[in-house]
Amino acid sequence: MKNMDTRIRAYQAATDLNTLSTIWFNASSLAHDFVGRERLHAQRTLIETQYLPNAETWVAVQDELPVGFISLLDTFIGGLFVAPHHQGQGVGRQLIAHALDLKGELSLEVYTQNVQALTFYEALGFKELSRRATDDEGMPFENAKMRLKR
């Protein structure tokens, strides 16, 4: 499966919402287990009603099935999520490359407890700019702000 062709296309709300919500939830359950299942369920509603409809979202597809996505708010990555069974196959790298080609520079915030993501972004050349002790909801989960320029 590692050599499967991945194509990037624009988000299609009518057909992608449920699939991307599931990808988000499954990937978040692994990467952000420290925030708790109840909070993830609440955030999933926001993903479906606020974030996906209001962001510029690009979808990675294999055999016409979504396997990951990146959501942008101008040059800020609001989210990058790859289905767990497709992680480690270069899908995330392709989504970042696509977004960087579109925008020229990218920034993001990542939970520092999500070591896999932090290491991934550093390997792609993102530089840490700052840290804050709490997340957007004031919870005690440290975030690192990072930026990548072409």
Side-chain angles (χ1 to χ4, degrees), residues 65-77:
L65 298 173
V67 296
F69 67 96
I70 189 167
S71 291
L72 304 169
L73 302 167
D74 192 24
T75 61
F76 183 80
I77 299 173

Side-chain angles (χ1 to χ4, degrees), residues 129-141:
L129 303 175
S130 62
R131 290 190 180 206
R132 62 185 170 113
T134 59
D135 67 9
D136 290 339
E137 297 172 14
M139 299 299 288
F141 303 117

Side-chain angles (χ1 to χ4, degrees), residues 60-112:
V61 295
Q62 294 178 352
D63 286 336
E64 300 310 311
L65 298 173
V67 296
F69 67 96
I70 189 167
S71 291
L72 304 169
L73 302 167
D74 192 24
T75 61
F76 183 80
I77 299 173
L80 172 67
F81 294 92
V82 176
H85 58 283
H86 290 279
Q87 292 178 6
Q89 299 175 9
V91 174
R93 286 178 179 273
Q94 286 180 266
L95 287 162
I96 292 286
H98 180 78
L100 190 59
D101 285 345
L102 290 172
K103 305 295 182 180
E105 80 172 63
L106 299 169
S107 63
L108 58 85
E109 285 196 4
V110 61
Y111 288 118
T112 57

